[in-house]
Amino acid sequence: MRENFPFTEIEEKIGYVFADRGLLKEAFTHSTYANVYGGKDNERMEYLGDAVLQLVVTEWQYARHKRAEEGVLTRERQKLVCEDALDEAVQALGIQKYLLVSGGRANVGKKTVSSLFETVIAAIYLDGGYVPAKEFILRHGRLEEEAFSVNYKGDLQEYLQGKGEEPPAYVTEKSGKDNAPTFTATVTAQGIKVQGIGGSKKVAEQQAAKNLLQLLQNSKK
């Protein structure tokens, strides 16, 4: 049983300080742990956090896309709040290691890890209200990914292959604080190096690929 829960460490990573730290611990308490040691598990928080996440993302979409139809927005939202997107957000924050679980790490699957993003949202919402929960989602959610519905990395590789060139090489570096990281990706092809910057490795690499592809295509005109 973990006696000293790392409240301060987690608060630094997520960028929010709790008035009621019991909510934070509840957000990280898996049902297997609660069944053995008592206390509340985080399943109800997952339900609440999902609702808050859906609202924030929908509001973000509504403001960003002035003319998009409902079907387009729905499909886009599904992508932004899917298990993969939430898992990536949790991994970027580095908070999965704090999950309180009993019975071994075999009980910690991808769904369990991804749901941590929703339980943390719920904890922040219950402690501080909608505004800080929204700020957390906009800061740490994978909303940037929407800007790259086109796979620029794939397009760049196809372009180079079509020219008989070697595939591009990527080097990505992380900087900044854990709760607000910046990734800088450098892509090299045909002896040219171009950078891209983003809030995740994926976004930075897609941005770099986009920049290099545009440079190569424009140089041929």
Side-chain angles (χ1 to χ4, degrees), residues 159-217:
Y159 176 86
L160 292 169
Q161 286 177 342
K163 301 292 184 181
E165 299 285 348
E166 293 292 320
Y170 295 86
V171 176
T172 305
E173 298 180 348
K174 179 182 176 182
S175 61
K177 297 181 179 179
D178 286 340
N179 66 347
T182 297
F183 292 82
T184 302
T186 302
V187 58
T188 304
Q190 293 185 311
I192 302 172
K193 291 185 177 182
V194 173
Q195 289 188 332
I197 298 174
S200 71
K201 179 180 178 181
K202 182 177 180 180
V203 169
E205 290 183 350
Q206 287 281 7
Q207 184 65 61
K210 178 183 178 182
N211 292 342
L212 180 54
L213 181 60
Q214 290 178 341
L215 179 63
L216 294 175
Q217 289 174 334

Side-chain angles (χ1 to χ4, degrees), residues 43 48 88 92 115 153 163 192 195-196 216 219:
E43 291 182 357
L48 175 59
E88 186 177 332
S115 67
K153 288 183 69 175
K163 301 292 184 181
I192 302 172
Q195 289 188 332
L216 294 175
S219 67

Side-chain angles (χ1 to χ4, degrees), residues 33-183:
Y33 188 93
N35 290 338
V36 174
Y37 299 109
K40 295 181 179 179
D41 64 44
N42 61 11
E43 291 182 357
R44 282 169 54 84
M45 279 192 168
E46 181 183 350
Y47 175 77
L48 175 59
D50 175 68
V52 177
L53 175 63
Q54 295 277 347
L55 175 58
V56 171
V57 171
T58 302
E59 185 181 85
W60 177 83
Q61 288 179 296
Y62 192 81
R64 182 182 176 91
H65 305 297
K66 303 297 185 182
R67 298 180 180 179
E69 296 180 353
E70 179 184 356
V72 174
L73 295 174
T74 299
R75 289 191 294 273
E76 178 183 282
R77 184 176 61 193
Q78 289 173 343
K79 180 178 67 174
L80 295 173
V81 301
C82 71
E83 185 176 299
D84 285 344
L86 300 186
D87 178 70
E88 186 177 332
V90 171
Q91 299 290 346
L93 284 165
I95 58 175
Q96 67 276 12
K97 62 184 177 182
Y98 304 116
L99 183 68
L100 297 173
V101 60
S102 181
R105 305 312 289 182
N107 288 323
V108 186
K110 189 173 184 179
K111 177 64 171 63
T112 300
V113 172
S114 66
S115 67
L116 270 179
F117 195 72
E118 295 168 322
T119 61
V120 169
I121 291 169
I124 294 174
Y125 175 80
L126 292 170
D127 189 72
Y130 179 71
V131 172
K134 178 180 178 180
E135 290 175 347
F136 172 79
I137 294 168
L138 294 179
R139 186 184 310 120
H140 299 295
R142 302 292 91 183
L143 302 187
E144 283 184 283
E145 305 293 348
E146 183 277 331
F148 297 104
S149 55
V150 176
N151 182 7
Y152 290 105
K153 288 183 69 175
D155 289 350
L156 175 60
Q157 183 151 333
E158 288 182 10
Y159 176 86
L160 292 169
Q161 286 177 342
K163 301 292 184 181
E165 299 285 348
E166 293 292 320
Y170 295 86
V171 176
T172 305
E173 298 180 348
K174 179 182 176 182
S175 61
K177 297 181 179 179
D178 286 340
N179 66 347
T182 297
F183 292 82

